[in-house]
Amino acid sequence: MSIASDVISTNTKLTNMRNALRELLTHHGIVYYNDDDVFTLARRVWFLIHPTSGTPSASYNDFASVGQPVYVKVYKDSDDDGELPDGSVADFFISINGGSEIHLTSLFDNGQASCSYIPENAGDTLSIKALVNDFIGIDLELEVLAFRYEDEYDVSSESYTLVKYPSSANITITEVDEFNSDYDYANGVEVSKTYGSSQAAYMIPTSLLDGIDLTDTGIHFSAIVSPMYSSSSGWASGICLLNSKNLSHYRDNKILELGAYPGKKGLKYSGTNHTINEINTSSGQLTLNGAFKFELWYDGSYVKAIISHYWNDTVYYSYESSSLPDAIANMQTVFPAFMIYDYGGKIRFRECLIEPWSRD
């Protein structure tokens, strides 16, 4: 028999098998799709042995942003409360701006099936449906944001990249099980450095390491911060927006920061002359090793900053202005970061949220 004949014979057998599987699934009311191959059809036969007749549960990202995977998972037991066997099929349908649906299949593993999709364009509407045997577990629509980062509840230092100056600066990064004595049920990331006035450490979310383009949007940066120190000669810690992560000086070229300092707290900045200047600060040092919510809003022509108690409404610092110093006005690219600098320094942080923002 020739190779061509073998191919024809094999294709005929596969076609017959596919048709037989479709008939079997149709007879028993099990859903299949025209783009299913023979192997996917065969896996759907699991629903004959482990039937499902209810809506699966699901979990998913509640946001979508350019370049970051959106994860969707479905969970389903069979009608007899037994776990669906590994290899059972779940279906996912994805469309952009109401366009044609992309059909993806996923196989169950340890009771769950998952799918991920990476959005490409800000402003798109991403629609995702997840089904198990035609029972919809989730049907959601998400607007694709230009950027977004949010910590998981269990914060990991692996989500951040250290940028420091100089390269010889001695920086220690650890994950702590207890954020502080009042917030002892949550972990955090601790960053500290040894004595040295012209040194700085910046922790940037790795997913934002290419920088954020603020040409068409503003930014909101929020986190729980615990200011600490390791020197009585001066210290600074908090959150900031760097104009560059390629440091040639511990003050970069342009920095807008919301920080805690000896005897005061508030907004400071640096320009191309590397000099630290005040925009606005208020007297009264934040309690060392306490837990505070730092929030910073910026859109190039406007800034707003609040430091408050980490869970109640007590406000320790508040300021807003539409008149920014020229040095840090209209920064088109920024790198949001947690900072420590000056003589010694230590900071703990968690619950970071970085997202687009508009005064409108």
Side-chain angles (χ1 to χ4, degrees):
M1 184 177 291
S2 67
I3 294 176
S5 297
D6 286 344
V7 171
I8 293 172
S9 176
T10 299
N11 286 340
T12 299
K13 291 177 181 178
L14 288 172
T15 299
N16 292 336
M17 184 180 299
R18 182 182 62 197
N19 290 338
L21 287 169
R22 286 177 170 179
E23 290 178 8
L24 177 66
L25 295 172
T26 299
H27 179 73
H28 289 279
I30 297 172
V31 173
Y32 64 86
Y33 298 90
N34 290 333
D35 57 354
D36 284 348
D37 58 25
V38 169
F39 302 103
T40 301
L41 291 167
R43 290 188 179 102
R44 294 189 190 278
V45 176
W46 272 120
F47 294 125
L48 288 174
I49 306 169
H50 301 277
T52 60
S53 59
T55 301
S57 57
S59 63
Y60 59 95
N61 299 63
D62 59 0
F63 67 90
S65 61
V66 173
Q68 300 303 311
V70 177
Y71 295 100
V72 177
K73 295 182 179 179
V74 288
Y75 312 88
K76 190 72 183 83
D77 288 340
S78 61
D79 290 347
D80 61 4
D81 292 327
E83 191 173 274
L84 285 177
D86 291 352
S88 299
V89 179
D91 296 283
F92 296 86
F93 292 89
I94 299 171
S95 68
I96 306 297
N97 298 328
S100 300
E101 288 183 325
I102 303 167
H103 177 211
L104 303 173
T105 59
S106 176
L107 304 182
F108 272 83
D109 182 19
N110 291 322
Q112 67 181 37
S114 62
C115 172
S116 67
Y117 182 79
I118 300 177
E120 297 180 352
N121 301 303
D124 283 350
T125 298
L126 175 64
S127 301
I128 303 178
K129 289 191 294 186
L131 303 90
V132 179
N133 195 18
D134 206 35
F135 291 93
I136 297 177
I138 198 167
D139 188 354
L140 69 125
E141 284 193 351
L142 300 171
E143 179 185 357
V144 179
L145 304 177
F147 60 90
R148 195 175 190 277
Y149 172 79
E150 185 173 15
D151 280 336
E152 300 287 343
Y153 183 79
D154 291 323
V155 185
S156 172
S157 60
E158 294 180 356
S159 300
Y160 293 86
T161 296
L162 171 66
V163 174
K164 63 180 181 177
Y165 183 89
S167 58
S168 59
N170 188 358
I171 310 297
T172 301
I173 301 169
T174 55
E175 293 176 20
V176 292
D177 293 333
E178 178 182 289
F179 193 74
N180 72 1
S181 57
D182 293 325
Y183 201 174
D184 58 2
Y185 49 86
N187 78 321
V189 176
E190 181 180 291
V191 183
S192 62
K193 77 177 188 67
T194 54
Y195 186 91
S197 60
S198 298
Q199 297 179 357
Y202 302 98
M203 291 286 280
I204 303 172
T206 303
S207 64
L208 302 178
L209 202 56
D210 290 335
I212 293 174
D213 183 357
L214 296 185
T215 304
D216 299 318
T217 186
I219 185 173
H220 172 224
F221 185 175
S222 172
I224 307 298
V225 174
S226 181
M228 310 167 83
Y229 76 103
S230 59
S231 167
S232 60
S233 301
W235 49 273
S237 61
I239 63 176
C240 68
L241 301 177
L242 302 171
N243 192 226
S244 172
K245 68 175 186 292
N246 299 314
L247 303 183
S248 59
H249 188 277
Y250 86 105
R251 289 306 298 170
D252 186 22
N253 286 319
K254 298 179 181 180
I255 301 176
L256 170 63
E257 67 185 51
L258 175 61
Y261 315 96
K264 63 177 64 176
K265 64 272 183 184
L267 287 165
K268 295 187 179 185
Y269 75 96
S270 296
T272 54
N273 62 0
H274 299 146
T275 301
I276 302 172
N277 305 280
E278 291 192 1
I279 295 177
N280 175 270
T281 61
S282 65
S283 61
Q285 183 173 299
L286 292 177
T287 303
L288 294 175
N289 306 324
F292 304 92
K293 187 173 185 178
F294 280 48
E295 290 197 90
L296 178 64
W297 294 262
Y298 171 84
D299 71 358
S301 61
Y302 171 89
V303 66
K304 179 180 177 180
I306 295 176
I307 300 174
S308 59
H309 191 273
Y310 76 100
W311 64 266
N312 68 32
D313 295 328
T314 303
V315 174
Y316 302 101
Y317 175 82
S318 179
Y319 178 79
E320 59 183 300
S321 175
S322 58
S323 179
L324 292 174
D326 290 342
I328 47 94
N330 301 314
M331 291 191 293
Q332 292 189 343
T333 301
V334 296
F335 299 84
F338 294 91
M339 65 176 193
I340 55 171
Y341 68 86
D342 224 329
Y343 291 91
K346 184 182 292 186
I347 186 175
R348 287 182 180 178
F349 60 85
R350 62 172 283 112
E351 297 176 38
C352 172
L353 171 61
I354 299 166
E355 60 186 352
W357 165 80
S358 171
R359 270 185 290 170
D360 299 331

